[in-house]
Amino acid sequence: MAIDVYLNFNGNCREAAEFYAEVFGSEKPNIMTFGSSHPNSDYPIPEEAKNLVMHTRLNLDGSTVMFSDVFPGMPFVEGNNISLSIVNKDIDRIKSLFHKLKEGGTVGMELQETFWSKCYGSLKDKFGIGWQFNYDNGETMGM
């Protein structure tokens, strides 16, 4: 298990990911846009969000760095746009860490099944550090 860095951008994620890939000599990023995600009629994707980056990742000198644009209307504060990401094959470990870190913190998304993971959630701990939790069953869709 490793703790990865997750960077959020305000509409320029594609440009940033391609820049970092070039700087570090990494492969071009495989970019998933909000528009390419699984449609949910209860939550239609606004036109201005369809080409924004929902997720991409790069290997930068041996470290996994993940990137996304913030969804339109969501808060973006430059300098606070970094979170730590736990990606693990042990779902019980994910649940344990989530419940320990949420004490005194604020849950952004309770642990739940998503189209990319059987167990995903996010929170800010009591120190204001953002955390994301993602179960990895080996089928992470290139995430």
Side-chain angles (χ1 to χ4, degrees), residues 32-41 43 45 54 114-116 141:
M32 178 190 305
T33 63
F34 286 106
S36 68
S37 65
H38 296 290
N40 181 337
S41 59
Y43 303 101
I45 304 290
M54 180 178 164
T114 64
F115 70 86
W116 69 85
M141 299 174 26

Side-chain angles (χ1 to χ4, degrees), residues 8-18 52-53 68-70 76:
N8 294 113
F9 294 86
N10 198 20
N12 59 345
C13 181
R14 182 183 307 268
E15 177 186 356
E18 290 172 352
L52 294 177
V53 176
S68 72
D69 281 311
V70 294
F76 175 84

Side-chain angles (χ1 to χ4, degrees), residues 44-57:
I45 304 290
E47 229 15 79
E48 67 271 18
K50 289 186 176 177
N51 288 322
L52 294 177
V53 176
M54 180 178 164
H55 181 82
T56 192
R57 70 187 304 155

Side-chain angles (χ1 to χ4, degrees), residues 19-141:
F19 172 75
Y20 293 129
E22 184 178 324
V23 167
F24 286 91
S26 300
E27 290 183 26
K28 279 190 75 144
N30 180 12
I31 293 177
M32 178 190 305
T33 63
F34 286 106
S36 68
S37 65
H38 296 290
N40 181 337
S41 59
D42 293 335
Y43 303 101
I45 304 290
E47 229 15 79
E48 67 271 18
K50 289 186 176 177
N51 288 322
L52 294 177
V53 176
M54 180 178 164
H55 181 82
T56 192
R57 70 187 304 155
L58 294 171
N59 183 312
L60 303 180
D61 281 355
S63 294
T64 298
V65 180
M66 296 177 279
F67 305 78
S68 72
D69 281 311
V70 294
F71 197 78
M74 298 297 290
F76 175 84
V77 179
E78 194 170 310
N80 291 344
N81 51 327
I82 297 173
S83 61
L84 301 176
S85 181
I86 306 253
V87 180
N88 199 305
K89 294 181 188 312
D90 182 344
I91 201 162
D92 292 326
R93 177 79 172 148
I94 289 171
K95 290 177 181 178
S96 174
L97 291 170
F98 183 89
H99 292 294
K100 288 176 183 177
L101 285 168
K102 81 176 185 179
E103 289 181 27
T106 306
V107 173
M109 183 175 178
E110 285 289 347
L111 291 175
Q112 61 189 269
E113 186 169 342
T114 64
F115 70 86
W116 69 85
S117 175
K118 294 245 182 253
C119 185
Y120 174 85
S122 64
L123 59 84
K124 276 199 178 194
D125 69 21
K126 63 184 176 182
F127 301 105
I129 304 300
W131 294 87
Q132 296 184 57
F133 302 81
N134 197 47
Y135 171 65
D136 177 12
N137 66 352
E139 301 173 8
T140 57
M141 299 174 26

